[in-house]
Amino acid sequence: MNAHGALLTSLSTKNQLAGTAFVHLDGCLHATFRTKDFASALELVNRIGEVAEKLNHHPDVRLGYGTVSLVVTSHDAGGVTARDLDLAARVQQIADTLGATAGPVRPTRYDIAIDCTDEDAVRPFWRVALGYTEVAGDDGVELVDPGGLGPKVWFQHMEIARTDRNRIHLDVHVPNDDAEERVAAVLEVGGVLLTDEHAPDWWVLADVEGNELCICTTAF
């Protein structure tokens, strides 16, 4: 619990975000709006800024020609709370008033997982090679790009080293509503489903040469 209420999962916000431009993934609400030109996009940003100041809650905003993209989260709480839903609802009202329409937004997060028997021994290699920093995460000590651009690297402990498969795989985090469609698309282009025993949290797939990835929906 935090000052702004409990952290909300993507499943718990699904109904409230239905019909809006916002999508919940990885502890954030994402939205893109389209406007007729740069001036109207700038007006939308200015109006959003006014509301954000009144609420003392500020989204990350990206302005383009006829487009405005936002990421809303409660940084102090570490994810989405009721205040983010409130801001998103107000932003949606402003966009509707100005005639802005929802643009395509399908946020995705990519992580790199490395299987190993001794995380402490291999982690320094990857930290130095990538120029990353160590942080405490859900999967133990993780490596993150200090610039916030590169994928997170985490280490999956193996009691016995695996030699019959690749020991590095990708995790692709997508919104809940997109997961089954993404899995189907991967299978359509020749991917192989290795297991769906953990679905709808994640599916394990591989290309025709056995290189693996997971389609995941478990992130907040």
Side-chain angles (χ1 to χ4, degrees):
M1 188 70 68
N2 55 73
H4 308 292
L7 286 177
L8 304 174
T9 68
S10 54
L11 291 177
S12 67
T13 62
K14 182 177 180 178
N15 291 337
Q16 289 168 278
L17 296 178
T20 75
F22 286 88
V23 175
H24 186 162
L25 176 70
D26 200 23
C28 301
L29 303 181
H30 304 258
T32 295
F33 294 97
R34 294 194 180 280
T35 67
K36 62 182 179 179
D37 52 28
F38 183 83
S40 56
L42 181 59
E43 181 181 2
L44 176 57
V45 170
N46 289 334
R47 294 280 296 276
I48 292 172
E50 293 173 2
V51 169
E53 281 294 301
K54 290 179 180 178
L55 296 178
N56 191 30
H57 188 38
H58 305 95
D60 293 330
V61 181
R62 182 175 181 179
L63 171 65
Y65 184 87
T67 63
V68 176
S69 297
L70 300 95
V71 178
V72 181
T73 189
S74 294
H75 295 287
D76 54 348
V80 173
T81 66
R83 70 192 304 221
D84 301 301
L85 289 177
D86 182 26
L87 178 57
R90 293 171 186 252
V91 169
Q92 187 65 54
Q93 290 174 354
I94 294 170
D96 292 342
T97 299
L98 296 179
T101 59
V105 53
R106 297 266 68 92
T108 306
R109 190 188 90 208
Y110 304 97
D111 296 341
I112 298 174
I114 300 176
D115 295 345
C116 54
T117 58
D118 188 345
E119 299 97 316
D120 293 335
V122 302
R123 190 186 310 112
F125 171 88
W126 293 97
R127 175 178 57 79
V128 173
L130 297 172
Y132 274 25
T133 57
E134 294 185 356
V135 299
D138 295 335
D139 299 299
V141 179
E142 302 169 345
L143 302 180
V144 298
D145 178 3
L149 299 176
K152 178 183 77 176
V153 178
W154 65 281
F155 301 86
Q156 182 166 266
H157 179 73
M158 300 282 109
E159 291 296 336
I160 301 175
R162 291 180 175 172
T163 58
D164 60 341
R165 46 160 280 190
N166 286 349
R167 295 171 64 182
I168 297 178
H169 73 270
L170 294 179
D171 291 334
V172 182
H173 294 265
V174 300
N176 292 320
D177 290 346
D178 293 354
E180 292 188 11
E181 181 179 351
R182 183 70 64 91
V183 170
V186 170
L187 297 178
E188 186 176 347
V189 296
V192 178
L193 177 64
L194 299 184
T195 180
D196 59 0
E197 64 178 307
H198 305 291
D201 289 338
W202 74 88
W203 291 255
V204 182
L205 303 106
D207 65 22
V208 294
E209 294 192 0
N211 301 297
E212 296 181 12
L213 67 78
C214 295
I215 303 294
C216 308
T217 62
T218 53
F220 281 108

